[in-house]
């Protein structure tokens, strides 16, 4: 299967470039946007033209490579990495990828850094696809056991936000088991919650549609009803940062689903690659949570019957708005974490054993 990806690598007149699928206008328009500079990458990440923890790390790595073309001294490199790193605070893959780039590039002579930066960013993107495929295989084993013990019906999964191929270099994290399952003859139906206010669920619905995978869109508020009715076999979500004790930062609304799943005895899985684990955060309380612009709630985007794309005011100007973009799901509500290295219990000892190189606390 060709790996679907929101990233394209270009080489034009001997110059390296990337193109991204602009996610601010998906699913209405499929537009590839060329990034020419570190500033373009910074803008794309901050304004969510690219989004999803692994993808923003990868685009930041390419952004640094673009920046080094204009100057690769230690000062220039550190400044570009610091600016990119500050673009979004919660997804740790961003600082993880930039740290990896700087550690690889710093020992090199200045003249060699720009070329090496493209090679390292490519390596990060390729590794992401391999890791996500592995997450898909480990997750599929879990889905198979659920399908065997489950009711006599197609496996019913629920996800939140978008943790599919659009959020990574390929395959996705939470949706990787669904895609690998399709390659290996396990069909699942995915209930996709809209994920207000930015509606990343629409991106999930779009990419599942592109893949021909059965799915149904629901309003976020419908999740409790489906869980209480016993219509969901498992919830799978991605993550933006996972603390040493297994607490998970993910898209706002994730914790509500986890708490409801616990009440209903439904399995709740988190799928994430190594770059999402941050053991310098002892618990979720140490994870910075991004508060985004009021306008994300004040306006809705969409297209009219004539196909014209636009923005409509949704909340009244004078209404006070609070727009946290992420929440923390306490480890106690998580059944297991699916990683490229295997499936792990959400506790400090198990995570430290799986990722010993990150172990700063246990
Ligand atoms: O604000 P976003 O759209 O970047 O948030 C994305 C999420 O919360 C995803 O669930 C998470 O990054 C996992 S992506 C594989």
């Amino acid at each position: 299967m060709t790996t679907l990806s929101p990233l394209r690598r270009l080489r034009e007149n001997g110059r390296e470039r990337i193109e991204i699928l602009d996610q601010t206008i998906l699913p209405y328009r499929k537009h590839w946007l060329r990034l020419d500079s570190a500033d373009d990458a910074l803008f794309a990440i901050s304004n969510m033209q690219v989004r999803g923890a692994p993808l923003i790390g990868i685009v930041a790595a390419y952004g640094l490579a673009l920046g080094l073309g204009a100057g690769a001294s230690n000062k220039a490199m550190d400044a570009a990495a610091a600016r990119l790193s500050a673009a979004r605070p919660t997804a740790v893959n961003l600082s993880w990828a930039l740290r990896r780039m700087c550690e690889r590039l710093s020992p090199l002579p200045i003249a060699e850094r720009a070329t090496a930066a493209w090679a390292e960013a490519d390596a990060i993107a390729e590794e992401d696809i391999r890791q996500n495929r592995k997450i898909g295989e480990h997750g599929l084993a879990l889905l198979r056991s659920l399908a065997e013990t489950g009711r006599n019906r197609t496996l019913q999964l629920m996800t939140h936000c978008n943790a599919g191929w659009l959020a990574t270099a390929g395959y996705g994290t939470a949706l990787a088991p669904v895609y690998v399952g399709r390659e290996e003859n396990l069909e699942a139906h995915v209930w996709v919650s809209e994920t207000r206010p930015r509606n990343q669920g629409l991106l999930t619905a779009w990419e599942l549609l592109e893949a021909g995978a059965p799915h149904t869109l629901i309003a976020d508020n419908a999740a409790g009803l489906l869980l209480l009715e016993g219509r969901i076999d498992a919830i799978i979500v991605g993550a933006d940062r996972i603390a040493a004790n297994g607490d998970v930062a993910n898209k706002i609304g994730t914790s509500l689903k986890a708490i409801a799943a616990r009440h209903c005895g439904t399995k709740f899985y988190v799928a994430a690659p190594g770059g999402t684990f941050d053991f310098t955060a002892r618990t979720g309380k140490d994870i910075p949570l991004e508060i985004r612009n009021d306008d994300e709630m004040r306006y809705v985007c969409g297209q009219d019957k004539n196909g014209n794309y636009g923005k409509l005011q949704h909340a009244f100007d004078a209404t006070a708005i609070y727009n946290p973009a992420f929440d923390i799901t306490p480890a106690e509500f998580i059944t297991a974490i699916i990683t490229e290295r295997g499936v792990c219990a959400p506790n400090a000892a198990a995570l430290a054993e799986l990722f010993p190189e990150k172990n700063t606390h246990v």
Side-chain angles (χ1 to χ4, degrees), residues 23 45 48 50-56 88 91 93 132 159-168 172-175 195 198 200 203 237-241 249-252 254 271-273 276 290 292 325-326:
Q23 301 195 29
I45 296 168
M48 294 175 67
V50 286
R51 42 142 303 280
L55 181 62
I56 63 178
R88 293 194 70 192
N93 308 59
N132 295 338
T159 192
H160 189 61
C161 193
N162 171 263
W165 62 262
L166 274 170
T168 64
T173 54
L175 293 186
T195 317
R198 290 214 47 136
Q200 287 92 334
L203 301 174
V237 298
D240 286 80
R241 194 183 297 221
N250 193 49
K251 182 51 55 193
I252 193 79
T254 303
T276 307
E290 180 178 11
R292 288 189 64 88
F326 298 95

Side-chain angles (χ1 to χ4, degrees), residues 22-29 47-49 194-203 217 292-305 307-315:
D22 182 352
Q23 301 195 29
T24 56
I25 50 173
L26 271 176
Y28 314 103
R29 306 267 188 283
N47 292 286
M48 294 175 67
Q49 289 172 323
E194 260 180 326
T195 317
R196 284 281 297 144
R198 290 214 47 136
N199 293 314
Q200 287 92 334
L202 301 183
L203 301 174
L217 184 69
R292 288 189 64 88
N293 196 297
D294 293 359
D295 280 359
E296 290 187 346
M297 290 186 61
R298 211 175 293 285
Y299 296 91
V300 283
C301 300
Q303 72 177 26
D304 67 18
K305 281 188 173 152
N308 300 312
Y309 175 81
K311 231 176 178 183
L312 282 178
Q313 183 150 8
H314 180 67

Side-chain angles (χ1 to χ4, degrees), residues 84-296:
L84 286 160
S85 194
R88 293 194 70 192
T90 302
V92 74
N93 308 59
L94 182 58
S95 53
W96 169 84
L98 289 164
R99 204 169 40 250
R100 173 168 158 173
M101 292 287 287
C102 291
E103 280 170 10
R104 165 82 184 94
L105 302 173
S106 296
L108 300 181
I110 290 175
E112 291 174 20
R113 287 180 181 170
T115 307
W118 283 99
E120 191 63 11
D122 285 344
I124 293 173
E126 284 155 20
E127 185 181 290
D128 183 64
I129 296 173
R130 280 196 304 277
Q131 289 179 336
N132 295 338
R133 166 81 208 186
K134 276 278 170 211
I135 288 173
E137 289 167 13
H138 294 303
L140 178 59
L142 286 178
L143 298 191
R144 281 205 196 286
S145 62
L146 275 175
E148 275 160 24
T149 55
R151 304 166 184 90
N152 196 15
R153 63 173 189 206
T154 304
L155 194 63
Q156 301 293 314
L157 303 176
M158 183 185 281
T159 192
H160 189 61
C161 193
N162 171 263
W165 62 262
L166 274 170
T168 64
Y171 276 109
T173 54
L175 293 186
V178 174
Y179 293 133
V180 176
R182 287 178 66 73
E183 290 170 21
E184 314 221 345
N185 289 323
L186 184 108
E187 187 81 320
H189 172 269
V190 187
W191 295 90
V192 179
S193 58
E194 260 180 326
T195 317
R196 284 281 297 144
R198 290 214 47 136
N199 293 314
Q200 287 92 334
L202 301 183
L203 301 174
T204 297
W206 178 79
E207 64 158 272
L208 289 170
L209 192 69
E210 293 270 300
H215 63 280
T216 304
L217 184 69
I218 53 168
D220 296 323
N221 290 338
L225 175 73
L226 269 73
L227 285 160
L228 284 163
E229 288 179 345
R231 294 171 67 183
I232 307 298
D233 297 310
I235 298 179
I236 311 186
V237 298
D240 286 80
R241 194 183 297 221
I242 301 179
N245 73 337
D247 287 352
V248 167
N250 193 49
K251 182 51 55 193
I252 193 79
T254 303
S255 62
L256 269 177
K257 287 195 168 61
I259 293 164
R262 165 58 55 87
H263 176 80
C264 297
T266 305
K267 306 229 181 275
F268 186 92
Y269 297 111
V270 174
T276 307
F277 291 81
D278 173 15
F279 293 175
T280 67
R282 283 175 186 273
T283 75
K285 289 200 175 74
D286 299 324
I287 298 178
L289 295 178
E290 180 178 11
I291 309 297
R292 288 189 64 88
N293 196 297
D294 293 359
D295 280 359
E296 290 187 346

